[in-house]
């Protein structure tokens, strides 16, 4: 009887301690939120260079709350450069490797792409849509590779096949077709970009 009495007393005390049930799910394993990953106005829109040319609006993927989030940028290209895949790829890569502005940093944006990263066009016998980095893609951090893949795939100029882009490293490094999937954008540090070797 004493055990039963103690159980009843404990139940009464717990009921009156102010803890209420909630209908809000408490699954802590969900994807991170993008709170704070927003800019009050387009940022980082200064010209890339001072040479005569035309300005083009582009989007690049930066890292924020462990996700990939697009940021609007403006690049300056030669008048005919807007249709030049390699020229556009170089400008996009330059934007990716550029340190985020003060406003972007305050909003939580960062980049994992190193300033020394370079891109060139296809080598002999490569497919026409191939782009080659000066670093093998496998040697890049998961975040850097995801940023590059998704930024290139998001551009109609640098990617001819929707969400895919063909990338390789220098020399005879194997070419692969990388996909910028929703899963990669949500968890680029954990989920590698799906890739298939290009013959």
């Amino acid at each position: 009887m004493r055990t039963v009495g103690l159980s009843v007393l404990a139940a009464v005390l717990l009921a009156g301690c102010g803890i209420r049930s909630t209908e809000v799910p408490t699954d802590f394993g969900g994807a991170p939120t993008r709170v704070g990953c927003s800019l009050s106005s387009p940022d980082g829109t200064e010209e890339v260079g001072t040479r005569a040319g035309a300005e083009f609006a582009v989007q690049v993927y930066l890292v924020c709350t462990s996700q990939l989030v697009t940021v609007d940028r403006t690049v300056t290209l030669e008048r005919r450069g807007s249709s030049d895949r390699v020229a556009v790829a170089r400008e996009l890569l330059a934007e990716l490797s550029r340190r985020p502005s003060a406003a972007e940093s305050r909003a939580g944006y960062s980049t994992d792409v190193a300033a020394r990263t370079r891109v060139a066009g296809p080598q002999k016998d490569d497919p026409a849509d191939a782009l080659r980095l000066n670093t093998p893609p496998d040697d890049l951090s998961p975040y850097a590779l995801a940023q590059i893949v998704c930024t290139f795939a998001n551009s109609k100029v640098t990617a001819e096949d929707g969400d895919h882009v063909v990338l390789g490293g220098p020399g005879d490094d194997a070419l692969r077709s990388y996909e910028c999937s929703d899963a990669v954008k949500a968890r680029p540090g954990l989920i590698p970009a799906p890739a298939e070797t290009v013959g």
Side-chain angles (χ1 to χ4, degrees):
M1 291 294 294
R2 182 176 181 182
T3 302
V4 174
L6 289 175
S7 298
V8 173
L9 178 60
V12 172
L13 290 174
L14 287 174
C17 70
I19 300 175
R20 296 182 180 179
S21 61
T22 176
E23 296 180 2
V24 179
T26 55
D27 180 8
F28 296 103
T33 64
R34 283 165 51 169
V35 174
C37 298
S38 62
L39 297 168
S40 57
S41 60
D43 195 69
T45 57
E46 65 271 15
E47 293 185 3
V48 172
T50 57
R51 63 188 183 280
E55 290 186 343
F56 296 91
V58 297
Q59 286 187 326
V60 298
Y61 278 90
L62 298 184
V63 181
C64 191
T65 62
S66 300
Q67 300 178 80
L68 294 188
V69 184
T70 55
V71 172
D72 296 326
R73 295 277 177 83
T74 301
V75 299
T76 303
L77 295 167
E78 298 292 345
R79 294 290 178 179
R80 296 180 181 178
S82 61
S83 60
D84 185 336
R85 292 179 61 256
V86 178
V88 173
R90 285 174 178 159
E91 295 295 354
L92 290 173
L93 192 58
E95 289 297 312
L96 284 173
S97 62
R98 183 163 65 87
R99 179 179 298 179
S101 67
E104 290 169 347
S105 295
R106 285 193 299 270
Y109 292 94
S110 64
T111 185
D112 220 42
V113 179
R116 62 180 178 276
T117 310
R118 299 287 183 270
V119 64
Q123 297 181 356
K124 183 180 179 181
D125 298 328
D126 283 351
D129 61 343
L131 292 169
R132 285 193 174 270
L133 304 173
N134 64 337
T135 301
D138 289 344
D139 291 348
L140 297 171
S141 73
Y143 283 103
L145 179 57
Q147 283 183 260
I148 294 171
V149 167
C150 288
T151 296
F152 286 174
N154 189 47
S155 170
K156 294 181 179 179
V157 178
T158 54
E160 298 179 357
D161 184 21
D163 293 332
H164 292 74
V165 60
V166 177
L167 289 178
D172 58 356
D173 189 65
L175 290 171
R176 294 185 179 90
S177 176
Y178 292 88
E179 179 187 359
C180 176
S181 65
D182 290 339
V184 171
K185 287 184 280 190
R187 295 183 180 276
L190 297 176
I191 301 176
E196 293 184 0
T197 302
V198 175

